[in-house]
Amino acid sequence: MDTLVFATNNKHKLREVREITGTLMSIKSLSDIELDADIPETQETIEGNARQKARFIYEKTGMDCFADDTGLEIAALGGRPGVYSARYAGEGCSFADNVIKILEELQGIEDRSACFRCVICLIYKGQEAIFEGRVDGEITLDQSGAEGFGYDPVFRPEKQSQTFAEMPAYLKNGLSHRGRAMQKMLQFLSQLQ
Ligand code: IMP
């Protein structure tokens, strides 16, 4: 079984990714490999950030690894928060601060369409590959649900009646930006075997 290091300190993402890979591979977190690192994330695109994070971990460890970066793009906000999704409400802000900020900005706006885009950069046997997943949907009027993380309580994927935060993990993973990018990565790896 392949072992891949996932370049994140986000325990929610780690749990999702492990649920997606199941027994297909062993996913090591940074704490599993005892790497206490502040991963840089200073690029202006989500692809740039995914590459930067994966290269940083590869340079430190030499291990097969991958990193993901996600942006929530809201049409009425001209694609914001986009690459700034993590710190939209300011440096050191919480998930809740970000959610409140977008709900305030969308007050009275009819077009609530949005999408999540996730880019995964894999470095496998020294070679880089990029996988992208996207899910379209809308920002709800209020928060609902306690599952997931980040903007999940206010993002309802198209054709669904629940927000990501109301869904069981398997449902979110089957529809989500990260789930779709992960499936592409798993297919790529299976073709190499
Ligand atoms: P990151 O840079 O990939 O960590 O993602 C930036 C921000 O997007 C995170 O801090 C979260 O607020 C948000 N985010 C990423 N993935 C998800 C998700 O699956 N659901 C909801 N919000 C997410």
Side-chain angles (χ1 to χ4, degrees):
M1 182 166 53
D2 267 332
T3 294
L4 289 182
V5 175
F6 183 20
T8 188
N9 289 311
N10 179 324
K11 62 181 191 310
H12 305 279
K13 286 187 184 179
L14 185 64
R15 188 166 58 226
E16 283 185 11
V17 158
R18 284 190 169 138
E19 275 161 1
I20 292 165
T21 54
T23 55
L24 289 176
M25 60 186 52
S26 166
I27 304 292
K28 300 277 188 215
S29 68
L30 298 182
S31 60
D32 289 335
I33 61 165
E34 292 175 7
L35 184 65
D36 181 16
D38 207 7
I39 311 174
E41 199 174 335
T42 55
Q43 302 302 298
E44 282 178 8
T45 61
I46 60 174
E47 179 176 328
N49 277 334
R51 286 189 194 275
Q52 183 182 33
K53 291 190 269 189
R55 285 175 189 170
F56 178 82
I57 296 303
Y58 183 68
E59 277 160 21
K60 285 235 172 300
T61 67
M63 294 173 77
D64 294 332
C65 63
F66 68 101
D68 81 330
D69 201 66
T70 292
L72 172 65
E73 298 177 350
I74 301 176
L77 302 181
R80 281 189 285 119
V83 73
Y84 304 108
S85 294
R87 46 194 183 283
Y88 192 47
E91 219 47 61
C93 66
S94 67
F95 291 146
D97 297 332
N98 285 333
V99 165
I100 288 166
K101 178 164 168 145
I102 64 164
L103 285 180
E104 281 174 2
E105 287 188 330
L106 288 178
Q107 251 177 27
I109 295 180
E110 210 163 298
D111 175 10
R112 303 183 72 89
S113 57
C115 76
F116 272 118
R117 283 201 311 120
C118 173
V119 173
I120 289 178
C121 175
L122 169 72
I123 304 183
Y124 187 74
K125 300 194 193 305
Q127 299 295 314
E128 244 178 66
I130 289 286
F131 308 94
E132 186 165 343
R134 173 189 172 124
V135 58
D136 290 289
E138 61 178 17
I139 304 300
T140 50
L141 291 170
D142 298 301
Q143 305 191 42
S144 35
E147 304 298 319
F149 68 101
Y151 298 93
D152 281 349
V154 290
F155 185 84
R156 182 167 51 224
E158 62 185 5
K159 302 193 188 103
Q160 300 297 312
S161 59
Q162 296 175 304
T163 66
F164 271 155
E166 293 176 292
M167 295 180 180
Y170 78 89
L171 242 182
K172 178 185 172 188
N173 289 338
L175 296 166
S176 80
H177 46 298
R178 186 170 301 98
R180 288 176 173 159
M182 281 295 297
Q183 290 303 341
K184 289 182 186 169
M185 183 179 89
L186 291 178
Q187 196 181 359
F188 172 85
L189 287 169
S190 74
Q191 283 165 355
L192 297 180
Q193 305 302 318

